[in-house]
Amino acid sequence: MKNIFLTAAIASVALVNCGTVQSLVQNTFPYTANVLVSTGVPADKEVSSTATATNVQTWFGGNNNAKIKDVRISDAKVSVVSPSGGNLSALKSIKVYISSSGTSEKLVASRSDISTDASSLNLDLGNSGFLDEVVKSTGVTVRTVYELKNQTSSDMNLKVALNFSSIPAN
């Protein structure tokens, strides 16, 4: 009976430690892009905005030998930065693509038929697979495509926040 308790205690400690180690070695890194929605943008027309992912380049610097793997989008969100108290009711749809020098564009997040007056909204994650090649390359670019339901009465600044996750490579 004493051996059963001792074995159960050791197994419990080992399982807890494995989970702790896994959470310590999994990396999460953010990327944000600002998108300006001007008053002159017509409704029912897709408009594209591109931003260079300089903070991703700071972490990896186009280093194909970066010791990470299985990079994917873990979370994506759009929110209104200005005007103060603004909301997303003018947005009809939004799509977020990522690419880099020598890689094709991949849809990583989107939302269509937006019907909210909230100031932020979680986006649906695309089935983009692993993004190792993209984030380890130079010139990482995020392109945001949006469509308005109605023309805005004032300029609106949006923030697109992407969180990437990865694990250490051997």
Side-chain angles (χ1 to χ4, degrees):
M1 188 65 126
K2 187 176 183 181
N3 286 340
I4 292 174
F5 287 121
L6 183 59
T7 303
I10 290 171
S12 296
V13 168
L15 289 173
V16 168
N17 285 337
C18 287
T20 302
V21 169
Q22 184 177 3
S23 68
L24 288 175
V25 297
Q26 184 172 356
N27 301 311
T28 302
F29 48 98
Y31 169 74
T32 58
N34 292 315
V35 178
L36 174 64
V37 178
S38 299
T39 54
V41 174
D44 297 320
K45 180 182 178 194
E46 284 193 341
V47 178
S48 178
S49 173
T50 303
T52 302
T54 54
N55 47 354
V56 171
Q57 293 304 300
T58 301
W59 287 311
F60 304 114
N63 182 1
N64 282 322
N65 296 319
K67 300 295 182 192
I68 60 167
K69 67 178 185 176
D70 299 346
V71 178
R72 63 178 63 208
I73 296 291
S74 59
D75 182 53
K77 186 176 188 175
V78 63
S79 54
V80 177
V81 176
S82 67
S84 179
N87 63 54
L88 298 168
S89 63
L91 274 183
K92 182 176 185 178
S93 67
I94 188 166
K95 299 174 195 166
V96 181
Y97 297 89
I98 188 168
S99 64
S100 65
S101 302
T103 66
S104 60
E105 206 172 52
K106 294 185 179 195
L107 176 67
V108 293
S110 64
R111 184 60 83 95
S112 57
D113 298 324
I114 296 173
S115 59
T116 183
D117 58 358
S119 62
S120 66
L121 177 68
N122 289 325
L123 302 177
D124 299 324
L125 301 182
N127 188 14
S128 58
F130 294 121
L131 301 168
D132 299 34
E133 183 181 354
V134 176
V135 298
K136 291 181 181 182
S137 297
T138 57
V140 176
T141 303
V142 172
R143 185 170 70 95
T144 305
V145 177
Y146 64 90
E147 186 176 350
L148 298 176
K149 287 183 244 178
N150 308 307
Q151 211 170 12
T152 61
S153 58
S154 65
D155 287 353
M156 182 168 53
N157 285 303
L158 303 177
K159 178 175 80 171
V160 176
L162 303 175
N163 284 316
F164 294 85
S165 67
S166 68
I167 60 173
N170 296 340

